[in-house]
Amino acid sequence: MNKFLPSIFLLTGMLATPALAQFPMGGPGGFPGGGRPGQGGQRQQEKTFIPGTAEDDKPRGNGKITGILMDSTTKKPVEYATVALINTATNKPIDGTTADEKGRFSLTKLAPGSYRLQYSFIGYQAKNSNVIKIEKGSDINVGLVQLSSDVRMLKEVTVTGQAALIEEKVDRLVYNAEKDITSKGGDATDIMRKVPMLSVDLDGNVSLRGSSNVRVLINNKPSTIVATSVADALKQIPADMIKSVEVITSPSAKYDAEGSAGIINIITKKNTLQGATLNMDLGTGNRGTNLGLNASYRQGKMGFNLGGFGRAQYNVKGAFTNTQSTFSDQGITTTTQSASTLMQGQFGSYQLGWDFDINKTTSLSASVRYGFRNNINTQNNLLTETFSSFRPPSMGARDVRSKNLSGTFDGNVSYTKTYKPNKELSILGLYSRNNNTNNFVADILNGVDMQTITSRQRNDNLSYNQESTIQVDYQTPIKATQLLEFGGKGIFRHVNSDFKYFQASGDTGEFIQDQTRPANTLDYDQNVVASYVAYTYASKSKWTFKAGGRYEYTMINARFANTENQPADQLDQIPDYGSFVPSFNISKGIRGGKIIKAGYNRRIQRPGIQFLNPNINNANPLNITEGNPYLRPELTDNFELGLSGQVKKVYLNATLFARFTNNSIQSIRDIQSPDTLSVTNPVYQQVIRTTYLNIGKENAYGANLFANLTLFSIWQLGGGVDVYHAYISNNNSDPIYGASNSGWVVGGRLFTSVTLKNGWGIQGFGGGRGRQVNLQGYQGSFAFYNLGVKKDFKNKRGSIGVSAENFFNHPFKVRSESSSPILNQYSVNSMYNAGVRVNFSYRLGKMSFDGSGFSLGRRKKSINNDDVKGDGGGGDSGVQQQQSTPAQGSGGGRPRQ
């Protein structure tokens, strides 16, 4: 079924003919802004806009063709079907319309000539009329035209050829992930690794064109779970439910101003048909087990969807070694560390969705969702050896157990009113809250036998992100080739971080609060009000222009509960600020179906809770982390120039880009006194602290190249290369922080897929990224690969498959380094991540098509809160399961407050 649906949607959108399919469309729905012909249903007949065939492009005359479309079985009108007028000389459409609610259609002002009509609508076979000759003053009634149901949609379909892996639009690239069998039983992270221009490191952190400043949306909606950790949020989305991934490199003014590099929108599979189904997906392997259930029911104007997904991770082992040197007036102190690690976790997501078509032009939808993450990370026998030229050597060890727990609730409701095609009003509301627990307990071991517990440390850090949003959007066409959009939005956020430190003697002593490090609470309120206007023009010569401006005003109120040890006056001095962010995109369809496009946009990046959180995490006492609540936003200007299209059998997409960021938020490292970091028997150690500052500049220049080839209609080969030059400069006057770094970064991916007879399929993937430049060093390279085989059952109701990943690596090592005038650190992380899993899926129930049950034209609306920067990591638990050097680019994704 899924193989056949894309072609039906193309027919409905008047894109069935090659001439139209090659045209660069301006929005997600085909028309600039995303609408479709016949959208929502209009009471009075409206002309369908076809790019390149505007009203002034067709021959003028006074001829007329009318008729009525009828279902051949039910004898009911086929409302809102598409009728195209084809010139028999060129075999190209020159005009079009849609049928009204009674199936009637009318084409007027037709010049003399020979034509034929093409009728199409979802659920029906496309039909062509005989040749119709129009003379001056002709008024031809073709009478009742009967359309037959497309019975192939209800039975097994054999498709010769494969759906396009990549779609190119004026402001985004769409990666169709539906046919990925190697990710079966996996999560969204496995899909992200294959998307052009994206890079996903071993921790699951996402970056776009080398920048971790990316906003991640799920079905155009934000979630506070992403604010806490993009990496963990992606693990809650099963790969089997992902339909496509949109990489929006040049967002229009309609989007929030967040995301220096762009926006990633994950589109999940939806069911809008009639009937009831239950899908079950089960997978198990040597490192994880997953179970997913999804039930849907739709009858008439109302539909429900109830889904749940759970995944358990186990046996995820690792190890790391770390060597660091600190420099002072007294001399050099060198410390080596090593430990083995184990990660266990559970991820889950449950959601209930409801939608109701009030009438043919009005819809109401609502959904609630709960997601959770329970990560338990252990660090066994963290051995620390310290050598100094001016003090005797020392040795210590500890075992650390960290908990990273979260629960997220999202609720949203949307109302959409369609007045006529592409004229629409929507009102949306969203409430979201994420409660997060990030605690650790450390057993400090005797430095002699490395087993006896001499004391214990504990850090409790409870935090939450809460936000409420209201959004109003309106769009209206201007003539046949232009679209105007404007709207407003209010976001009201509250972030809270409560942290406490405890210590205890021996292995049984009671924990008491550590008086040397007092507890505190940060309350951080951020309210954003915004308005925008956007304009789109699609010319008859295949030019598409999208331009707009957005103004956002941000109000901040931050405070500490305990001000004795905090510079509270600085929090009071964090100013409110306004920002204007323009955007401009242009594309041109050129000969052979190729598209050339250019874009410019300005983006603002606010710091997220992971950057702001002042809690000091010292699970590893020599490598502590601390947020900075005094951070200011960063501002980025983006430029891009791209070319895409088909060259014989190869699809090519090439893009040049440049990114200029001022006031960039970067991680930096310095040295702190260790006196308050040892519970008993303190020894001399130089502690490296990682925190965040607004530095001077972060610029990047680069290119992305992607190619896809289909051979023999069953074999797809795809691959791409990403290369960019990064330059990072700190304008801090302190020589400890003053630094600059630059270098080239190269990454890429290769994908192959073979569809065989009798439901068999084989897929393979490999990809990675080279060494990445950071302000004070570099982050090491990494790579992934997997291979999968799947067999669909004969009745297409289920499948079984086997996949394996990184099966030659035991272990895979990542090397990273940081350096400055006062320190040098070199780390090696070993990942034992070779894995194999078996996946089984089955579907119960049956769906059918009923034109009265849904309206394809009306798009469901959703909220996009896209305005906060976060580190994208899995929460800083302090356990170095994958000890990446905390620095620019090592994270990814888009946490927000």
Side-chain angles (χ1 to χ4, degrees):
M1 181 76 71
N2 288 338
K3 297 178 181 178
F4 193 72
L5 281 177
S7 63
I8 300 299
F9 283 100
L10 290 179
L11 286 172
T12 307
M14 286 302 295
L15 298 177
T17 61
L20 296 183
Q22 295 172 358
F23 186 81
M25 305 305 286
F31 187 92
R36 287 187 177 94
Q39 178 176 0
Q42 65 277 21
R43 293 295 178 183
Q44 296 183 1
Q45 190 97 356
E46 295 291 341
K47 290 291 184 179
T48 299
F49 169 73
I50 304 176
T53 62
E55 288 293 322
D56 57 353
D57 186 41
K58 66 178 183 178
R60 293 288 181 173
N62 59 359
K64 182 179 180 180
I65 301 177
T66 59
I68 300 176
L69 299 181
M70 176 182 294
D71 187 299
S72 62
T73 302
T74 66
K75 305 305 179 182
K76 293 182 179 180
V78 181
E79 50 188 337
Y80 313 124
T82 300
V83 181
L85 182 70
I86 310 297
N87 187 321
T88 57
T90 63
N91 202 33
K92 293 183 179 181
I94 62 169
D95 197 5
T97 188
T98 55
D100 64 15
E101 64 272 16
K102 295 184 179 180
R104 298 174 302 192
F105 67 90
S106 176
L107 290 165
T108 60
K109 299 181 181 179
L110 304 180
S114 295
Y115 307 97
R116 57 183 172 84
L117 299 178
Q118 183 182 77
Y119 315 101
S120 57
F121 191 59
I122 187 170
Y124 293 90
Q125 297 179 20
K127 185 174 184 177
N128 294 320
S129 73
N130 295 325
V131 175
I132 301 173
K133 292 186 177 181
I134 297 293
E135 298 178 354
K136 187 175 180 180
S138 294
D139 188 350
I140 299 175
N141 187 340
V142 296
L144 292 176
V145 179
Q146 298 190 15
L147 299 183
S148 301
S149 297
D150 198 333
V151 295
R152 291 175 300 169
M153 301 175 65
L154 306 179
K155 297 181 180 181
E156 179 177 336
V157 180
T158 300
V159 180
T160 58
Q162 303 189 40
L165 190 65
I166 301 294
E167 292 181 55
E168 184 75 11
K169 298 183 179 180
V170 66
D171 61 347
R172 70 193 67 195
L173 180 145
V174 181
Y175 177 83
N176 294 308
E178 293 180 281
K179 300 184 69 176
D180 191 341
I181 64 175
T182 60
S183 299
K184 193 78 172 177
D187 52 47
T189 306
D190 301 307
I191 296 293
M192 290 290 200
R193 292 192 175 106
K194 303 173 184 180
V195 179
M197 295 185 285
L198 298 187
S199 177
V200 183
D201 67 15
L202 294 172
D203 296 320
N205 303 315
V206 182
S207 59
L208 169 59
R209 292 174 172 171
S211 173
S212 61
N213 299 338
V214 184
R215 181 73 179 105
V216 178
L217 304 174
I218 302 171
N219 290 325
N220 292 306
K221 298 182 180 72
S223 173
T224 53
I225 189 174
V226 181
T228 303
S229 168
V230 168
D232 288 335
L234 295 179
K235 293 176 183 177
Q236 297 183 20
I237 306 173
D240 309 339
M241 290 302 297
I242 298 178
K243 176 180 176 63
S244 61
V245 178
E246 298 179 346
V247 182
I248 308 174
T249 56
S250 187
S252 71
K254 190 171 185 177
Y255 288 93
D256 293 343
E258 185 274 345
S260 296
I263 296 172
I264 300 171
N265 187 25
I266 301 172
I267 305 297
T268 59
K269 297 175 183 177
K270 298 178 182 178
N271 182 14
T272 59
L273 309 183
Q274 298 288 296
T277 62
L278 174 64
N279 293 317
M280 179 182 69
D281 292 281
L282 173 66
T284 186
N286 65 323
R287 302 199 183 280
T289 296
N290 64 274
L291 173 64
L293 295 171
N294 189 282
S296 61
Y297 176 80
R298 186 171 187 89
Q299 191 66 38
K301 296 181 178 181
M302 187 177 299
F304 296 89
N305 183 272
L306 177 64
F309 173 75
R311 183 177 186 183
Q313 287 185 318
Y314 44 80
N315 197 32
V316 183
K317 297 180 179 179
F320 77 90
T321 61
N322 178 50
T323 302
Q324 60 189 47
S325 299
T326 58
F327 316 119
S328 66
D329 295 338
Q330 294 176 298
I332 301 176
T333 299
T334 301
T335 303
T336 61
Q337 289 185 312
S338 62
S340 59
T341 63
L342 175 66
M343 182 176 68
Q344 302 176 80
Q346 294 84 40
F347 305 88
S349 178
Y350 312 95
Q351 62 184 11
L352 172 64
W354 169 83
D355 65 270
F356 178 65
D357 293 334
I358 299 173
N359 54 45
K360 296 184 183 299
T361 62
T362 310
S363 67
L364 186 67
S365 65
S367 67
V368 293
R369 175 187 177 275
Y370 179 77
F372 72 89
R373 175 190 70 248
N374 296 328
N375 270 353
I376 307 297
N377 299 326
T378 57
Q379 200 165 247
N380 298 315
N381 196 23
L382 173 57
L383 180 64
T384 302
E385 298 178 273
T386 302
F387 307 91
S388 176
S389 59
F390 52 92
R391 287 181 182 265
S394 62
M395 180 177 294
R398 59 171 50 197
D399 293 330
V400 184
R401 180 180 173 89
S402 295
K403 293 183 178 180
N404 196 323
L405 317 176
S406 79
T408 305
F409 172 82
D410 295 322
N412 69 81
V413 61
S414 65
Y415 169 87
T416 304
K417 173 70 173 178
T418 302
Y419 299 94
K420 61 180 181 179
N422 299 300
K423 186 174 184 179
E424 189 173 83
L425 170 69
S426 63
I427 303 174
L428 307 99
L430 168 71
Y431 173 82
S432 184
R433 179 180 172 115
N434 171 261
N435 297 310
N436 189 58
T437 299
N438 196 358
N439 301 342
F440 79 83
V441 175
D443 296 335
I444 301 174
L445 308 179
N446 185 292
V448 179
D449 62 12
M450 304 299 175
Q451 293 183 349
T452 304
I453 299 176
T454 61
S455 60
R456 289 172 294 149
Q457 284 182 309
R458 195 179 94 199
N459 174 210
D460 291 352
N461 184 201
L462 304 178
S463 63
Y464 66 82
N465 301 271
Q466 178 179 295
E467 69 178 43
S468 301
T469 305
I470 183 70
Q471 177 176 326
V472 178
D473 297 291
Y474 182 77
Q475 66 178 40
T476 182
I478 305 174
K479 297 183 179 180
T481 59
Q482 302 169 68
L483 185 73
L484 180 66
E485 301 171 276
F486 54 90
K489 187 174 187 177
I491 309 171
F492 310 97
R493 295 194 177 99
H494 180 67
V495 177
N496 177 279
S497 177
D498 182 81
F499 48 95
K500 298 181 177 67
Y501 310 95
F502 302 88
Q503 59 185 26
S505 299
D507 60 347
T508 60
E510 182 180 356
F511 277 104
I512 60 174
Q513 196 158 335
D514 188 349
Q515 299 301 317
T516 63
R517 296 192 297 161
N520 213 334
T521 300
L522 171 68
D523 281 301
Y524 196 98
D525 294 324
Q526 182 190 85
N527 298 326
V528 180
V529 293
S531 61
Y532 74 91
V533 61
Y535 169 80
T536 304
Y537 171 71
S539 76
K540 60 183 180 180
S541 55
K542 298 186 179 181
W543 284 96
T544 301
F545 302 90
K546 297 188 73 171
R550 184 182 187 90
Y551 182 79
E552 297 186 347
Y553 191 79
T554 305
M555 296 157 282
I556 296 176
N557 181 19
R559 56 207 174 275
F560 283 108
N562 179 7
T563 59
E564 293 182 7
N565 300 297
Q566 300 289 350
D569 58 324
Q570 293 187 31
L571 284 180
D572 294 337
Q573 294 174 9
I574 298 178
D576 301 340
Y577 55 90
S579 305
F580 176 72
V581 285
S583 65
F584 180 78
N585 295 286
I586 181 174
S587 71
K588 175 68 167 70
I590 56 179
R591 186 176 180 181
K594 300 176 183 61
I595 301 171
I596 186 170
K597 66 178 185 178
Y600 162 78
N601 61 84
R602 174 170 289 180
R603 314 294 290 164
I604 187 173
Q605 201 75 45
R606 303 175 179 91
I609 183 60
Q610 298 286 42
F611 289 95
L612 299 168
N613 192 353
N615 175 61
I616 300 175
N617 189 307
N618 67 320
N620 183 341
L622 295 189
N623 288 275
I624 68 174
T625 60
E626 180 181 6
N628 178 6
Y630 309 102
L631 290 172
R632 303 181 309 278
E634 62 184 34
L635 197 66
T636 299
D637 291 296
N638 291 294
F639 301 85
E640 71 174 13
L641 176 64
L643 174 65
S644 63
Q646 200 78 16
V647 180
K648 295 184 178 180
K649 294 184 178 182
V650 181
Y651 172 85
L652 291 173
N653 180 290
T655 306
L656 300 175
F657 71 91
R659 183 174 60 244
F660 306 94
T661 300
N662 289 313
N663 214 32
S664 176
I665 298 173
Q666 296 289 330
S667 65
I668 57 92
R669 292 185 163 193
D670 56 18
I671 297 174
Q672 271 200 346
S673 168
D675 296 342
T676 62
L677 299 178
S678 297
V679 178
T680 60
N681 303 321
V683 296
Y684 182 83
Q685 294 174 330
Q686 289 289 296
V687 177
I688 294 180
R689 180 188 69 150
T690 299
T691 187
Y692 305 95
L693 292 177
N694 292 104
I695 69 164
K697 297 179 180 179
E698 180 191 359
N699 299 335
Y701 314 84
N704 311 109
L705 177 65
F706 179 84
N708 187 59
L709 169 66
T710 300
L711 298 173
F712 314 115
S713 300
I714 62 170
W715 184 13
Q716 277 195 348
L717 286 170
V721 176
D722 308 319
V723 57
Y724 68 93
H725 184 270
Y727 173 76
I728 308 172
S729 176
N730 193 350
N731 60 5
N732 197 303
S733 60
D734 191 330
I736 293 176
Y737 306 129
S740 63
N741 201 4
S742 63
W744 288 95
V745 182
V746 179
R749 62 201 61 82
L750 181 65
F751 174 86
T752 183
S753 173
V754 181
T755 302
L756 303 175
K757 294 182 179 180
N758 300 320
W760 286 96
I762 303 174
Q763 284 188 354
F765 168 77
R769 188 195 67 200
R771 193 171 74 170
Q772 181 159 329
V773 175
N774 297 321
L775 177 64
Q776 293 177 314
Y778 67 87
Q779 183 182 7
S781 60
F782 60 85
F784 284 92
Y785 54 88
N786 54 38
L787 181 66
V789 179
K790 186 185 76 166
K791 173 67 169 69
D792 289 327
F793 298 155
K794 187 176 181 180
N795 58 4
K796 295 292 184 179
R797 287 188 175 272
S799 66
I800 188 169
V802 179
S803 60
E805 58 188 9
N806 304 317
F807 38 84
F808 290 126
N809 291 342
H810 197 75
F812 184 84
K813 295 185 177 181
V814 178
R815 297 170 173 82
S816 301
E817 183 176 359
S818 294
S819 61
S820 77
I822 59 172
L823 62 88
N824 183 271
Q825 184 181 61
Y826 179 78
S827 63
V828 178
N829 292 278
S830 300
M831 265 69 70
Y832 298 86
N833 56 358
V836 62
R837 59 177 177 252
V838 178
N839 308 289
F840 171 81
S841 66
Y842 197 78
R843 184 183 73 254
L844 299 173
K846 181 180 180 181
M847 283 299 191
S848 62
F849 286 87
D850 182 353
S852 64
F854 60 91
S855 174
L856 180 66
R858 187 159 53 250
R859 295 170 290 126
K860 304 302 181 186
K861 292 291 185 173
S862 56
I863 284 180
N864 308 303
N865 287 353
D866 317 314
D867 59 312
V868 180
K869 172 173 180 169
D871 65 357
D876 193 350
S877 63
V879 176
Q880 298 181 351
Q881 164 65 24
Q882 322 284 6
Q883 184 192 1
S884 302
T885 303
Q888 177 269 340
S890 64
R894 200 77 344 255
R896 75 177 180 283
Q897 310 164 58

